[in-house]
Amino acid sequence: MEPTLNRPLRRSFVKGLLGTTSFWMASGNASWTAALAAEAAHPYQPIFFDAMEYRFVEAASERLFPADNNGPGAKALGVAEFIDRQMQTPYARGENWYMSGPFQQGPANLGYQLPFVPRDLYRKGIAGVEHYTRQHYGKGFADLPPAQQDEILTALEGGSVQLGEVPGRVFFEQLRTNTLEGAFADPLYGGNRGLGGWIMLGFPGARADFMDWVNQEGAPYPLAPVSISGETA
Amino acid sequence: MGRTHVDAVIVGAGWAGSIMAKELTEAGLSVIMLERGPERMTPVEGAYPESIDELRGAVRKRLFQNLSQSTVTIRNTMDQTALPYRQLAAFLPGEGVGGAGLHWSGVHFRVAPEDLRLRSSVIERYGEKFIPEGMNLQDYGVTYAELEPFFDKAEKVFGTSGEAYKVQGKIVGNGNVFSPDRSDNFPLQAMKDTFSASIFRDAAKNAGYHPYALPAANASRQYTNIYGCQMGPCNFCGYCSGYDCYLYSKASPNVNILPALRQDPGFTLIPNAHVLRVDLDSTKTKATGVTYLDTETREETSLSADLVILGAFQFNNVHLMLVSGIGKPYDPVSNTGTVGRNFVYQTITSSRVWLPSSTYTNQFVGAGGAGVAIDDFNSMNFDHGPLGFVGGSPVWVNQAGVKPIAAAIGAGGGGTPRWGSAYKNALINTYKHSLGIDAHGSNMAYRDVYLDLDPTWKDVYGQPLLRMTFTWKDNDIRMNQYVVSRIEPIARAMGATKMNLVHLNAGQPFDTRNYQTTHLGGGAIMGDNPQTSALNRYLQSWDVSNVFVIGSNAFPQGMGYNPTGMVAALAYWAAHHIRTTYLKSPGPLVKA
Ligand SMILES: Cc1cc2nc3c(=O)[nH]c(=O)nc-3n(C[C@H](O)[C@H](O)[C@H](O)COP(=O)(O)OP(=O)(O)OC[C@H]3O[C@@H](n4cnc5c(N)ncnc54)[C@H](O)[C@@H]3O)c2cc1C
Ligand code: SF4
């Protein structure tokens, strides 16, 4: 595998070859540079979230994906860092969603129809949950015991809570999806620290060569995972 | 300045467009192929290890259509307001050179011959009354025997791996007993069975069914195709569906056609060129060329061409016809017009089977086209009489490489937790010890399921979005339920400790939020009657004879098989008739 340092160089070569306005190439580029930069700095300083929001994301994602006998939870895996870094990508700005109006609501099965991109959903959603928990529990979400945090998450998932302009369920699904992404994406993006997510699942990561394991009569795959940068466990 | 003139202009650089471009340049025509998305080359974006990235790949959908530019609106019934498909989910159209052919899976079927004449076949066996009210059941107007040479050619271009059953009337192997005669074998031997597929094969055989290796456009060996393009052997890397193949093992226009085509001086490929419309003369019976927008400079250019080929994918082809005024738009109320008629999709439900915790299914191992299937409940291969529905489904284990983010997001639900420790435990168990079995079935056409232009929403170019009116109908729901019920004994014989059989439910509307397949079809169908089909049997517009419309838009029904093998064969079929007949005397190939 090529050493990490070569990558940005190769990226700019790619850019030259294909022209600079390809949306996809640009997005790959941005997240790659961000990844390299963030790896160097520790502990992670959130860029998108403020301190309160970041505590919320850490606490809530840990309840969704908790540390337990099976292995690390969201906190140890760096999920909050992952989400904060994702908030600086085109995805979080909704740049690959159709975001032209009018925005008209309809039956759930016709899909997402809100005028909010992921960055808005977090801003509004977290403020809404904090407001809700203070009203009902007298404290911020991160300061509540796990049982009460679970109660709140259950209420959001069940759809009984409206967070201002954002339905609680929509915010819950956004947070759940990004939490699981952070647990299992390549560590390049700040989550899945130490390949902890992949180890739990027995997923070999970027090996991508199973010629010898197409059919081994149900035996487990023997090698530990490797990441894109060559990190192994 | 006069417009640039070429012999043929092709819209879209996927399989349909690339095949047509190859054929027409071989015939000596000057050809420009316009692609709205960027240039894509495997040594660049497909390279290891960056392409082995689930987040950037299938999750953030790097290679798929960017909906911010253009999308569709969807509703279930005609009395609803259709709403924009704002986030990719139910289907994942391609964009960029290679189209969806760059990131498809590679299941490469021919066709069940009776699916080509489904209306006739159903009537012969069960009588006309068997066809439910409101179902627009139609024949293609072309037979398997006519298409056979073109299926054969496509397999030799794609480097398809498979096991034949019958070649030139002789039984030659362990292939699909329901499959029709072939003029030649597959170019490559079948892909190996994954462990999951192998136990499905044994269980299905023991249950009295007829398992066969899925025909796969994933190369089981190294291969050089008839254009001199080379493929390397697939290693079951598991980053297949939704990814380009870093090993050059999955057939794509980029690997199997374009390397040869790009060297032809008569061929020009222009990426980042979004075609806005086909230009027609004042009689609306002749195309004069196309107008496209350079998506980088935002400059509009009109090209003049003698022949216009639409290969922009099923619903984009219909959209271009509607905005250009080619043919008469379908009106479901008066049941007249053809463009937008018979919009179809595919029924697919994925069931899950858990094996004992000592058994590892290694679901990350897989290739997009590899697997084992049975056709005992597909097409007309079983008796529909007592069952009372039209259509069917192959059933298969097609372990294409399950990756962790997709597995985690999809886990839980249906009464089991979707987060927390219990969820995590179930996810790990499911990932390590389970496998999926799909019923991948047909979808019939209905009078009130169709495509037209949306009255409200527009794309960034100011054109109305295409509107889909689509939902599941009783016939297809009952078909799916029946086939899924047949999975249970197979799953038991596989040693299931638990199973979750998933089927469509009565009255269940189509849900745009869950991935189905990208096997959309119809909307500009082929046929032998200009009143009920937009295209004749050569995929030529009945109304504008120098426009050919290539793609799954031509299917009158959604079939149980994956569509691309059929799309490729239809492209070669149309190209053959353009080359041998049309070019000699341009005009309608069939008198209306
Ligand atoms: C994840 C995935 C897996 C799949 N797996 C299988 C499988 O295993 N087997 C199978 O048979 N099929 C499979 N399919 C479906 C298969 O990809 C399609 O059937 C096939 O690629 C269609 O080819 P096409 O050339 O008709 O369209 P496309 O490949 O979609 O190409 C059309 C091209 O036209 C371009 N275009 C559209 N509008 C315009 C415009 N206005 N101007 C200029 N260009 C335009 C598009 O950007 C695109 O590049 C899969 C699809 C997906 C998404
Ligand atoms: S599974 Fe095989 S064909 Fe598919 S991407 Fe990997 S190597 Fe290529």
Side-chain angles (χ1 to χ4, degrees), chain A residues 1-2 7 10-11 14 17-18 21-25 28 63-68 70-73 82 86 91 95-114 150 153-154 157 172-173 176-178 180-181 184-186 188-189 198 200-211 213-221 226 228, chain B residues 38-40 43-45 47-50 52-56 59-68 70-71 74-76 80-81 83-87 95 192-195 198 233-239 246 296 358-360 362 364-365 402-405 408-411 418-421 423-425 427-428 431-432 456-459 465 509-513:
Chain A
M1 226 164 284
E2 10 165 358
R7 272 162 223 293
R10 235 206 77 188
R11 284 273 156 190
V14 163
L17 195 67
L18 297 186
T21 53
S22 151
F23 167 78
W24 294 110
M25 294 309 296
R63 293 317 303 154
L64 295 177
F65 200 81
D68 59 17
N70 278 310
F82 167 87
Q86 284 298 302
Y91 157 74
E95 287 176 20
N96 42 5
W97 293 354
Y98 180 78
M99 291 303 287
S100 305
F103 289 89
Q104 188 174 324
Q105 301 313 300
N109 69 297
L110 295 184
Y112 186 77
Q113 300 296 336
L114 294 170
D150 286 359
L153 290 168
T154 305
E157 182 187 24
F172 175 87
E173 293 302 333
R176 175 182 184 271
T177 296
N178 294 148
L180 297 173
E181 288 168 359
F184 295 114
D186 192 281
L188 174 64
Y189 301 99
W198 290 350
M200 277 185 278
L201 291 182
F203 176 67
R207 291 205 177 274
D209 178 4
F210 304 112
M211 212 52 154
W213 223 261
V214 177
N215 184 0
Q216 290 286 353
E217 303 297 338
Y221 183 73
V226 61
I228 288 175
Chain B
E39 179 63 279
R40 292 200 203 277
V44 183
E45 315 99 312
Y48 186 88
E50 281 97 336
I52 305 300
D53 182 341
E54 187 188 8
L55 186 77
R56 202 161 69 97
V59 175
R60 294 287 178 264
K61 304 185 166 64
R62 175 169 72 97
L63 296 174
F64 307 140
Q65 184 185 352
N66 180 357
L67 295 186
S68 71
S70 145
T71 184
I74 308 177
R75 59 181 179 175
N76 295 127
Q80 280 180 318
T81 302
L83 297 175
Y85 180 58
R86 296 185 181 276
Q87 304 174 342
E95 187 163 272
K192 284 194 239 171
D193 293 352
T194 57
F195 170 69
S198 77
C234 162
N235 70 2
F236 289 75
C237 85
Y239 288 80
Y246 80 96
E296 298 188 319
S358 54
T359 305
Y360 288 77
N362 298 318
F364 45 84
V365 176
V402 181
K403 285 163 289 300
I405 298 174
I409 291 173
R418 295 176 67 239
W419 52 281
S421 263
Y423 154 81
K424 201 174 153 192
N425 198 56
L427 166 65
I428 293 169
Y431 194 72
K432 290 183 172 172
T456 309
W457 282 276
K458 295 196 164 29
D459 61 24
L465 298 185
F510 167 59
D511 192 324
T512 66
R513 297 168 301 175

Side-chain angles (χ1 to χ4, degrees), chain B residues 105 191 217-219 233-241 243-250 366-368 400:
Chain B
S105 309
M191 296 282 283
N218 312 122
C234 162
N235 70 2
F236 289 75
C237 85
Y239 288 80
C240 207
S241 309
Y243 299 79
D244 41 3
C245 174
Y246 80 96
L247 282 173
Y248 301 78
S249 311
K250 177 167 66 179

Side-chain angles (χ1 to χ4, degrees), chain B residues 37 59 76 117 130 188 200 210 229 295 320 324 333 362 391 474 498 533 548 567:
Chain B
V59 175
N76 295 127
R117 50 185 304 276
F130 196 77
L188 295 176
F200 177 78
H210 302 85
C229 301
T295 57
L320 280 167
S324 309
V333 178
N362 298 318
D474 181 60
K498 195 175 100 176
S533 62
F548 288 73
V567 169

